[in-house]
Amino acid sequence: KEISGRVEIPSEFDGYKVVSTNTLLIQPSQTSLPYKGMPKNRWWRMNNDDVENVRGLKEVQYASGVYWGGEIHCSYNERKGDYSLMGYMPDYQQINPQKIIYGRFINDVDMAQKRKVCVIGTQIQKDLFPGMEDPTGKVIKVNNSYFTIIGVMRRQSTAMSFSNVERTVVAPISLAQQMYGGGNSIHMLAIAGREDTPSKEVETACKSVIFAKHLISPDDEKAAWCMATAEMFDKVMSLFWGIGFLTWIVGLGLFKVISDRSEKKQYHCDD
């Protein structure tokens, strides 16, 4: 069942419950072709400029950088725990939405000012604030820094989640880059294409502008890892319908066996 560019899938595949049907992930890999004086086997990085360039394409609706912060130690008074930190841009909530049960997600002002604010998962809320309904506005210690909680999120989809949502602290990507000395680099680019644009066209347009900027051959198929949710969705649905079809076949075969046994039994009874 598809609603507004997102697809709702039967509960058997709960991790894919709400997924954009035209989302693309791009991650840099090693080049395999020389191009414009640049050697092959070259490692390269994407950065914030790539996000802005892609966001300006007519095929793209939303774009966000993804930055892995790794494991962090969080505490509030005597309560503490180890969790994961992810850096996102505001658009990420449109690309892979999670349920915001209190407060809000990261916004453009948080990004521009590199505010020390965060959205926490529900398990972190339970660990650090047992019995407290809404912890927004509270300040927690994250490693050696202090962050103000602006929201609490609950898993709505794990199809594109890079960590356990309930045990994740989400910070503005600009702040995460500063914390880990990443400059303006990003680890991955998440994109939501426009609903009327085939996913392959979205991928081609995005790779074209990114490759041109980084002097990568447009024919280099190994320079970037790409994953389209349309492909993932097709595989999941094929599996779902395959299971359904197999169940139908097995049921039909079982019905035939029972029918044959019943006919034989009736035949012997008539004798």
Side-chain angles (χ1 to χ4, degrees):
K1 179 180 178 183
E2 189 170 333
I3 304 173
S4 302
R6 294 193 177 94
V7 67
E8 191 170 355
I9 300 175
S11 59
E12 287 84 346
F13 301 99
D14 187 61
Y16 298 86
K17 198 74 174 181
V18 180
V19 186
S20 171
T21 56
N22 201 12
T23 297
L24 175 69
L25 300 176
I26 301 178
Q27 185 175 36
S29 189
Q30 198 171 15
T31 62
S32 63
L33 298 173
Y35 185 67
K36 291 188 175 181
M38 303 300 290
K40 65 178 181 178
N41 300 324
R42 173 170 57 98
W43 290 100
W44 60 286
R45 291 182 178 181
M46 290 190 295
N47 55 46
N48 296 344
D49 293 338
D50 292 303
V51 182
E52 295 306 316
N53 292 339
V54 163
R55 189 180 284 134
L57 296 172
K58 61 181 177 61
E59 296 87 355
V60 173
Q61 187 170 14
Y62 301 108
S64 171
V66 175
Y67 196 94
W68 282 281
E71 187 174 281
I72 53 173
H73 184 76
C74 299
S75 61
Y76 180 78
N77 294 335
E78 75 281 358
R79 311 286 300 187
K80 57 187 177 181
D82 294 321
Y83 309 102
S84 298
L85 185 139
M86 296 297 301
Y88 294 133
M89 295 176 177
D91 272 8
Y92 191 77
Q93 178 64 2
Q94 302 297 325
I95 299 168
N96 186 39
Q98 305 300 337
K99 179 68 174 178
I100 303 297
I101 58 176
Y102 298 114
R104 63 173 177 84
F105 197 69
I106 303 299
N107 64 25
D108 290 328
V109 178
D110 300 328
M111 285 279 300
Q113 298 183 3
K114 299 181 182 178
R115 287 177 171 173
K116 290 186 177 180
V117 295
C118 64
V119 181
I120 63 172
T122 52
Q123 188 58 54
I124 302 176
Q125 176 196 7
K126 294 174 184 176
D127 292 346
L128 302 187
F129 305 96
M132 183 181 296
E133 186 175 352
D134 181 2
T136 56
K138 298 296 183 182
V139 177
I140 60 173
K141 188 175 183 180
V142 178
N143 288 342
N144 294 316
S145 300
Y146 291 89
F147 284 56
T148 299
I149 299 171
I150 58 171
V152 179
M153 60 185 176
R154 182 172 62 219
R155 178 176 64 89
Q156 184 164 286
S157 168
T158 56
M160 271 179 45
S161 295
F162 307 107
S163 60
N164 182 337
V165 173
E166 273 82 14
R167 299 184 60 83
T168 296
V169 173
V170 172
I173 195 171
S174 54
L175 179 62
Q177 290 166 330
Q178 178 177 278
M179 288 172 62
Y180 292 93
N184 70 341
S185 66
I186 61 174
H187 294 131
M188 184 178 284
L189 180 56
I191 300 153
R194 299 197 178 278
E195 295 174 32
D196 58 351
T197 307
S199 61
K200 201 62 183 176
E201 289 184 22
V202 177
E203 178 180 335
T204 299
C206 291
K207 287 174 66 175
S208 177
V209 70
I210 294 171
F211 280 16
K213 176 178 178 292
H214 294 277
L215 297 179
I216 298 171
S217 169
D219 299 319
D220 196 334
E221 297 181 356
K222 296 183 178 179
W225 173 87
C226 298
M227 178 64 180
T229 54
E231 299 174 6
M232 183 167 58
F233 171 69
D234 288 342
K235 291 177 182 178
V236 170
M237 291 310 293
S238 295
L239 175 62
F240 175 74
W241 293 117
I243 291 172
F245 181 70
L246 179 61
T247 302
W248 181 78
I249 291 293
V250 171
L252 186 63
L254 183 59
F255 174 77
K256 188 176 186 306
V257 170
I258 293 173
S259 297
D260 289 346
R261 287 174 63 87
S262 298
E263 288 177 5
K264 290 179 182 179
K265 185 176 181 180
Q266 182 64 38
Y267 174 78
H268 290 300
C269 288
D270 291 343
D271 289 346

